[in-house]
Amino acid sequence: MDLLPKEIFLEIFKYLSSSDLIALTEVCSTFNQLISSTERLLDKIPVYLQYSQSRIDLARSQYSEISNLIINGIRFGRRKYTKIFIGEIDKEILIKISEILGENVHEVVFKRGNHELETVAKILLNFKNVRKLKFCRRSVRSEILQLKSEIPILNIDELLLENIGSQVFRVLAASKVKKLECTIGRRICQHEFIPEEVGQFLTLQNDLKELKLERIAWNINDMLENENINQMKFKLTSLSLNDVIIDDSNIFTNFMRPHFDSLKKLELVRIEEFNFSQVLRQMTALKELKVISTWLDIFRPFDNVVKLEIEYPHVLKFFPNLKELKISCAIFGPYQIHLWNEYIAHPQLTSIEIGNLSMLNFPHLPTLRKLKLKNIERIYVEVFYQNPQIEELVIEKREGRIMRYDYEIDFISSRLPNLKLLEIVGGKVCRRYLDLAKERCKKLKYLRLIDVDVVAS
Amino acid sequence: MDIDRPSDPQVSVVSSDGTMFHTTLKSILLSGTIKDMIEHIGEGGVENMGAIPLQNVDSKTLEIVIKWIEHHKDNIQPTSEEIKDKTADFIDPWDENFLEMDLDKLYNLITAANYLNIPQLLWLSTRKIAMLIKNRTPQEIRSLFNIEDDWTPQEIEAVQKENQWCEEK
């Protein structure tokens, strides 16, 4: 295998997962060196700092030996690991390791271990170059105490909090974050996650661009106070709210005001009892919008929006420049079909994903290239009559429903000569019709069958 | 020079061992390296430019490459940037069949695809080898690719010890 140059090996290795890369490091010294010295491959091999069942004994009996090994940099001397998972591990050893690995580390995940806040601060002081930081449930002990030690100054691209108390913000008070994601479930109790602490943290963030708050089990207004809002200097380009409660619309509107002209992406999922219409009306730069289970009345057109995800089609006419559209529920009665034709007729629409399509006709959409039909009970082949230019088609059947596609595949392949990709999810189809499709659609490059039963007759 | 004209003139290429192959302009333009060459010959025309010498590709490999580019000449080729983003995409059954060859040929094909700068072919062939490596033990990888075990017992033990820290238990 020495006839291949290094760069080619790197090309090959980049498709492999961490366990394969680990096996390769044991194959020969050449591979070991190659992987050990390539940062982007090491990015894929995380180090798990935790005692496993077998290591616990070792840790007890040869505790000093282990820490010597690590302290002397033998174990971590050769490879410069960049991604660290922290589990249950002794505090002293963890701090030592952080000293050894120090500036090489780009990504740190606190998985578990119930670490003290002081320890977290100490090791983050050593990981000066961390760009991505994640805290999982029960990884940090919840403490009411104030931090005594010095806190790190980090420049973090992504900060993810998953079911963890808000005390971690105290460690990060001096750091700058570009993207913040908080997913807090209802299992976290009130004294562990204090919304005011998020608000406080936000007043210190000037570089924040993306904010995602998910399942914050209580009122979002607890996080925002008018005096806080005045201190917030960041300008968001992306905001995602999922399952939050907003009860004071004035405060929320105040919070949103500075971002009206910068916000490009907005996702609203399951936000009850708050009407977004007022706020949304003022967002002039919006390009992508997702609204699910949220109260929304729209009265004016959004010319800039090119990507839209909604449940029902009735607001479609306010988005004249759409390129991509996802609708989860397109159910129409026979008397409303003309409405649908009107709604969907956007001159620039190139990609549509529709759930529950139940109608017999479909207008000609000259720019349409990609069509995905989800959760369908049967295929209304009439959809394809008008749109022979479709290049990518995905059909996904409703769960639990038995479907056979023979006639449909026959019809699709005779009507869609430009098809490049055909994907079928679920159901049954006869091989003969698949062969027929390959023969008819000369441009067909990808035929994907996922959970499809291909039968002989 | 206008290389997008509808007609598809004949082009000849010569392998390192002196064998001449004939193919069409449209096919050969899938190679970024040759595309650059042709763009630089300027006026005078593709028709009159003579055979293109390829010193780094032998005749056996060139034959395989030509078979692939002729099959794919009408398909839109992804750029190297687009390929960087994809990881486990679906493979065209024709390509899957095409790649059924012994490892020596596959190595030569990779080297040629790299030299000729055909991103899609390079992606397919390197991915093919990556698939062979997947889920195998170090010993299996060694025997598959005929690699010599050059570790001393102490060295391999140190590597294995270090690797213990890389797996979640």
Side-chain angles (χ1 to χ4, degrees), chain A residues 224-349:
Chain A
L224 306 167
E225 285 161 36
N226 273 329
E227 53 190 282
N228 269 352
I229 291 170
N230 293 335
Q231 290 171 37
M232 291 180 191
K233 294 282 182 288
F234 54 88
K235 240 175 157 26
L236 291 178
T237 57
S238 168
L239 174 69
S240 171
L241 301 174
N242 190 333
D243 210 353
V244 300
I245 306 162
I246 301 167
D247 67 358
D248 189 329
S249 62
N250 281 334
I251 289 182
F252 185 74
T253 312
N254 277 345
F255 167 70
M256 285 308 299
R257 190 159 290 126
H259 316 294
F260 281 152
D261 59 344
S262 63
L263 209 63
K264 294 205 162 58
K265 190 173 168 186
L266 178 66
E267 291 186 1
L268 307 167
V269 181
R270 280 189 296 282
I271 299 162
E272 285 158 17
E273 301 182 9
F274 179 76
N275 189 342
F276 267 95
S277 314
Q278 284 293 331
V279 180
L280 196 64
R281 242 172 42 197
Q282 302 179 63
M283 292 181 185
T284 47
L286 211 57
K287 279 195 148 53
E288 291 178 38
L289 176 64
K290 174 177 173 178
V291 182
I292 304 287
S293 300
T294 298
W295 181 10
L296 188 67
D297 307 310
I298 296 178
F299 300 108
R300 77 156 185 87
F302 288 84
D303 295 334
N304 294 326
V305 175
V306 289
K307 207 170 158 184
L308 180 69
E309 185 174 344
I310 45 173
E311 287 165 295
Y312 303 103
H314 62 279
V315 293
L316 268 180
K317 61 176 171 184
F318 294 106
F319 300 90
N321 295 318
L322 275 192
K323 290 201 170 92
E324 283 176 53
L325 171 67
K326 268 190 194 178
I327 292 186
S328 45
C329 203
I331 296 174
F332 281 85
Y335 303 109
Q336 291 170 310
I337 286 169
H338 66 282
L339 274 180
W340 164 255
N341 284 355
E342 204 177 291
Y343 289 152
I344 197 102
H346 291 274
Q348 284 154 51
L349 211 49

Side-chain angles (χ1 to χ4, degrees), chain A residues 80-211:
Chain A
K80 305 232 179 292
Y81 288 104
T82 58
K83 186 173 178 181
I84 309 289
F85 282 71
I86 297 170
E88 280 124 14
I89 189 164
D90 183 87
K91 181 166 88 179
E92 300 302 324
I93 291 187
L94 182 58
I95 292 170
K96 285 293 176 200
I97 291 174
S98 74
E99 282 168 9
I100 295 162
L101 298 175
E103 294 170 3
N104 294 314
V105 174
H106 301 153
E107 186 172 345
V108 179
V109 179
F110 286 87
K111 281 211 102 166
R112 42 182 178 265
N114 222 5
H115 296 285
E116 286 167 22
L117 212 50
E118 296 282 346
T119 315
V120 174
K122 272 187 193 141
I123 69 162
L124 287 180
L125 275 170
N126 291 323
F127 294 145
K128 286 189 185 73
N129 292 327
V130 71
R131 295 190 298 250
K132 208 171 159 187
L133 187 57
K134 184 173 176 181
F135 292 92
C136 302
R137 182 167 159 77
R138 297 215 173 104
S139 60
V140 182
R141 201 172 298 174
S142 87
E143 286 164 310
I144 318 289
L145 299 163
Q146 284 299 315
L147 269 171
K148 281 191 221 79
S149 61
E150 197 190 336
I151 55 168
I153 303 169
L154 305 169
N155 275 310
I156 300 169
D157 291 338
E158 269 180 68
L159 172 62
L160 306 151
L161 309 186
E162 219 177 75
N163 293 322
I164 187 94
S166 56
Q167 74 276 4
V168 291
F169 284 121
R170 277 173 241 166
V171 179
L172 298 166
S175 300
K176 296 283 173 242
V177 176
K178 287 204 180 93
K179 180 179 175 183
L180 171 64
E181 253 187 73
C182 282
T183 308
I184 309 299
R186 292 192 164 80
R187 276 179 299 180
I188 297 288
C189 26
Q190 192 87 39
H191 71 269
E192 275 182 278
F193 195 94
I194 305 155
E196 285 87 347
E197 225 160 355
V198 189
Q200 283 270 307
F201 179 72
L202 289 181
T203 61
L204 305 167
Q205 296 304 316
N206 297 344
D207 300 337
L208 193 70
K209 293 268 179 291
E210 295 175 49
L211 178 63

Side-chain angles (χ1 to χ4, degrees), chain B residues 1-2 5 38-46 48:
Chain B
M1 195 198 68
D2 174 26
R5 71 189 74 179
I38 290 178
E39 271 167 1
H40 285 106
I41 61 165
E43 290 304 322
V46 179
N48 306 323

Side-chain angles (χ1 to χ4, degrees), chain B residues 116-127:
Chain B
L116 293 171
N117 187 9
I118 312 173
Q120 176 77 356
L121 184 59
L122 185 64
W123 176 73
L124 281 167
S125 45
T126 46
R127 188 189 161 280

Side-chain angles (χ1 to χ4, degrees), chain A residues 11 14-15 445-446, chain B residues 30 68 76-89 113 117-127:
Chain A
E11 282 289 315
K14 73 180 182 196
Y15 302 112
K445 265 187 93 178
Y446 302 112
Chain B
L30 295 191
W68 189 86
I76 300 161
Q77 292 297 309
T79 62
S80 340
E81 273 68 41
E82 282 166 356
I83 283 174
K84 258 181 206 148
D85 297 335
K86 65 179 177 186
T87 44
D89 206 348
N117 187 9
I118 312 173
Q120 176 77 356
L121 184 59
L122 185 64
W123 176 73
L124 281 167
S125 45
T126 46
R127 188 189 161 280

Side-chain angles (χ1 to χ4, degrees), chain A residues 354 357 371-376 379 384 393-396:
Chain A
I354 310 177
L357 184 71
L371 178 65
K372 185 170 180 177
L373 301 174
K374 273 181 83 174
N375 206 13
I376 45 173
I379 301 171
F384 312 116
L393 177 66
V394 181
I395 301 168
E396 207 180 303

